[in-house]
Amino acid sequence: MPPLAALARAARLLAEHGFREVARNERGDSLYLAHGDGPWRLRLSNHARTPKQRRGHPEVLASLVVREPRTEAQVAAMVAAALRDYAGGLRRAAAQASAVPSEAASRK
């Protein structure tokens, strides 16, 4: 399927996992999805983020990028990988949040 169709299919698969669209860039080629009410996002796009975008949007834990035509199976595999990356990002964010108070306490 063409890249735009593959991205739409990925969005539908992620919706089945509880993700919902919360933002879209001005060009409409990047979607930001949330799971629950937390601040964290999963990004779907046809292009990778730049370092400046990464710094400006630390709430994005994972990205799924489709630049070329993909099969249904390939899209499903990309969604599975994005879900793993998102879960890993959640674990890292939780670890960093819990490390901050203990670092401050160790300096006393």
Side-chain angles (χ1 to χ4, degrees):
M1 67 184 82
L4 286 178
L7 284 168
R9 178 65 181 141
R12 286 190 301 275
L13 290 172
L14 288 163
E16 292 174 9
H17 288 276
F19 284 85
R20 66 183 175 8
E21 183 180 330
V22 293
R24 185 181 290 253
N25 73 350
E26 292 176 6
R27 294 183 308 270
D29 57 3
S30 294
L31 303 175
Y32 296 86
L33 308 175
H35 190 269
D37 295 328
W40 308 114
R41 302 294 180 253
L42 191 154
R43 177 179 173 269
L44 295 179
S45 187
N46 65 356
H47 63 280
R49 295 190 302 156
T50 65
K52 182 178 177 182
Q53 289 170 318
R54 288 180 199 279
R55 284 189 306 274
H57 293 282
E59 73 281 5
V60 176
L61 299 180
S63 291
L64 189 158
V65 177
V66 180
R67 293 187 192 116
E68 300 172 2
R70 299 289 179 189
T71 66
E72 182 77 26
Q74 288 171 323
V75 172
M78 293 174 82
V79 166
L83 289 170
R84 283 191 305 273
D85 292 347
Y86 184 83
L90 287 175
R91 286 190 299 275
R92 283 189 302 280
Q96 288 173 351
S98 65
V100 172
S102 63
E103 288 175 13
S106 67
R107 284 184 251 160
K108 289 183 180 181

